[in-house]
């Protein structure tokens, strides 16, 4: 079966590693995409604000360029997102909805007094996969106004930026899944060809290996690691076969030596038996020869005629005892 054993474990681990790597890569991409969209939104709002600040609404000397009604109308023109606008004329702050906004007022008044663009991001909200800034505050001085300290500013809700990413999140997830599957299949195919298949060929060659046939178990080009491993295995098997032959000869020699030892042991046992018989024979000859010699001496004494009857009787009794 194709996906079994080692291949199945490799496939699972490879898929998991690729999934983690691609998720991490897409996470970083989404973070930078989120920041890029916020930056683009900031530039676009700045361009719109610059056009509004440069627009000469009333050319009469000392007249207020923006009024409460103008601010309300301009704020409503941003139909795609919630926008609050503020105008600082050097003395007071005007807001598009009439309600005060301390942070927006500080940004607009700072731009008017410093005669420079002031940009700030405030708040925190859930973006797509991380938290992001909730509001963009931007203010630009009105250079054409006779009052040098006047400025126009606005606060933009950045929720629409994050919503744009959320709308494409399904496509991103599908892209993530397809990338993982494609890379896993390609990686598994390459890994099997480079590692698993040579190992399987080597295992099969090892099972059918016979050094008597002069065969080898090379499975790859000599320069590769598997080729080097095959050469090392061939050398090891050759040494094992040589050691086995040497062991066979040693066993044969030991068997011959053992046979000689057995024969020698038999000869030694026979010699020991013969020696024991010799000692037994000598003992028997000694134990039998001495009494017979004594009996023979008494008989010779008895056969002589110059002994008295008492000695004769005594010699006869001693001969009988022997």
């Amino acid at each position: 079966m194709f996906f079994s054993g080692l291949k199945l474990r490799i496939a699972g681990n490879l898929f998991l590693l690729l999934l983690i790597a691609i998720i991490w890569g897409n996470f970083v991409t989404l973070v930078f995409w989120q920041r890029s969209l916020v930056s683009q939104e900031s530039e676009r709002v700045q361009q719109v604000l610059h056009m509004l600040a440069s627009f000469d609404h009333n050319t009469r000397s000392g007249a207020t360029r923006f009024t409460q009604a103008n601010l309300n109308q301009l704020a409503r023109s941003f139909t795609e997102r919630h926008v609050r606008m503020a105008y600082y004329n050097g003395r007071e702050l005007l807001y598009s909805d009439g309600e005060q906004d301390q942070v927006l007022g500080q940004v607009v008044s700072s731009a008017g007094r410093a005669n420079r663009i002031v940009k700030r991001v405030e708040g925190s909200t859930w973006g797509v996969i991380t938290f992001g800034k909730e509001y963009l505050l931007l203010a630009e001085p009105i250079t054409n106004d006779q009052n040098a300290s006047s400025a126009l500013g606005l606060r933009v809700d950045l929720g629409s930026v994050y919503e744009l990413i959320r709308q494409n999140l399904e496509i991103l997830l599908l892209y993530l899944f397809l990338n993982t599957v494609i890379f896993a299949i390609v990686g598994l195919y390459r890994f099997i060809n480079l590692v698993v298949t040579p190992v399987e060929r080597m295992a099969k060659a090892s099972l059918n290996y016979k050094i008597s046939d002069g065969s080898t178990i090379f499975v790859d080009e000599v320069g590769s690691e598997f080729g080097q491993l095959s050469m090392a295995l061939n050398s090891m098997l050759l040494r094992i076969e040589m050691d086995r032959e040497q062991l066979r000869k040693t066993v044969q020699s030991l068997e011959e030596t053992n046979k000689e030892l057995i024969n020698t042991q038999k000869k030694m046992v026979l010699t020991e038996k013969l020696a024991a018989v010799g000692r037994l024979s000598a003992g028997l000859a000694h134990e039998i020869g001495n009494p017979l010699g004594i009996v023979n001496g008494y008989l010779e004494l008895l056969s002589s005629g110059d002994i008295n009857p008492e000695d004769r009787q005594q010699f006869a009794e001693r001969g009988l005892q022997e």
Side-chain angles (χ1 to χ4, degrees):
M1 189 174 180
F2 183 77
F3 285 103
S4 62
L6 180 62
K7 293 179 181 178
L8 182 60
R9 292 195 297 270
I10 291 175
N13 291 327
L14 183 62
F15 184 84
L16 179 62
L17 291 176
L18 285 173
L19 182 62
I20 294 174
I22 294 177
I23 287 177
W24 176 251
N26 281 272
F27 172 79
V28 175
T29 301
L30 284 174
V31 170
F32 279 99
W33 186 21
Q34 181 174 306
R35 292 181 180 179
S36 176
L37 288 178
V38 172
S39 178
Q40 292 177 7
E41 179 68 9
S42 175
E43 293 178 0
R44 194 179 75 85
V45 171
Q46 185 173 348
Q47 292 176 359
V48 173
L49 183 62
H50 179 71
M51 288 188 297
L52 293 175
S54 302
F55 177 69
D56 189 4
H57 182 71
N58 196 332
T59 58
R60 291 180 299 174
S61 177
T64 300
R65 184 184 292 264
F66 292 100
T67 62
Q68 181 73 52
N70 292 335
L71 292 177
N72 293 337
Q73 185 178 2
L74 289 174
R76 287 193 297 269
S77 65
F78 292 88
T79 56
E80 70 275 10
R81 58 182 57 82
H82 179 66
V83 175
R84 293 193 66 189
M85 299 192 68
Y87 173 70
Y88 178 68
N89 58 13
R91 297 179 303 274
E92 60 179 351
L93 284 164
L94 299 177
Y95 296 95
S96 58
D97 53 4
E99 296 181 2
Q100 293 186 355
D101 189 325
Q102 184 177 2
V103 178
L104 179 59
Q106 291 177 355
V107 172
V108 176
S109 59
S110 297
R113 295 190 183 98
N115 197 24
R116 64 180 179 84
I117 297 175
V118 177
K119 181 168 60 175
R120 186 187 302 176
V121 285
E122 294 288 339
S124 179
T125 185
W126 182 252
V128 181
I129 54 177
T130 59
F131 283 95
K133 296 300 180 180
E134 186 175 6
Y135 299 107
L136 168 66
L137 297 100
L138 187 64
E140 182 173 345
I142 302 177
T143 56
N144 291 333
D145 199 285
Q146 294 182 358
N147 189 345
S149 61
S150 62
L152 180 65
L154 50 78
R155 187 193 69 179
V156 179
D157 188 354
L158 295 176
S160 59
V161 175
Y162 305 133
E163 184 63 28
L164 176 63
I165 303 178
R166 294 191 193 98
Q167 292 174 357
N168 295 276
L169 191 58
E170 293 181 359
I171 299 176
L172 291 175
L173 293 177
L174 178 62
Y175 172 78
L176 171 66
F177 176 76
L178 291 178
N179 274 352
T180 304
V181 172
I182 292 173
F183 282 117
I185 293 174
V186 174
L188 179 62
Y189 176 77
R190 293 295 299 164
F191 191 82
I192 289 176
N193 286 338
L194 292 175
V195 178
V196 178
T197 301
V199 171
E200 290 178 343
R201 291 203 303 265
M202 186 178 297
K204 184 178 180 180
S206 300
L207 292 175
N208 300 326
Y209 179 80
K210 292 182 179 180
I211 196 169
S212 58
D213 299 337
S215 59
T216 60
I217 56 175
F218 290 128
V219 298
D220 209 339
E221 59 272 10
V222 178
S224 67
E225 287 77 5
F226 284 107
Q228 296 174 4
L229 178 60
S230 299
M231 293 180 63
L233 289 175
N234 285 328
S235 300
M236 181 186 68
L237 292 175
L238 181 60
R239 289 195 299 270
I240 292 175
E241 187 64 24
M242 294 174 62
D243 293 340
R244 182 183 300 172
E245 181 65 21
Q246 183 66 31
L247 179 62
R248 187 185 63 79
K249 292 180 180 179
T250 303
V251 171
Q252 185 178 0
S253 176
L254 289 174
E255 289 177 351
E256 295 176 356
T257 303
N258 188 38
K259 290 180 181 179
E260 294 178 358
L261 288 174
I262 293 174
N263 294 331
T264 303
Q265 183 182 13
K266 290 180 179 181
K267 292 179 181 179
M268 291 180 65
V269 170
L270 180 60
T271 302
E272 184 66 24
K273 289 181 179 179
L274 292 175
V277 172
R279 288 192 298 270
L280 179 60
S281 300
L284 289 174
H286 177 72
E287 294 297 330
I288 294 175
N290 287 339
L292 289 178
I294 295 173
V295 171
N296 186 40
Y298 286 135
L299 291 176
E300 289 178 356
L301 290 175
L302 289 174
S303 62
S304 63
D306 54 351
I307 56 174
N308 53 42
E310 294 179 358
D311 290 337
R312 184 183 298 276
Q313 182 64 32
Q314 184 179 3
F315 291 157
E317 291 177 355
R318 290 181 179 178
L320 290 174
Q321 291 177 357
E322 291 297 332

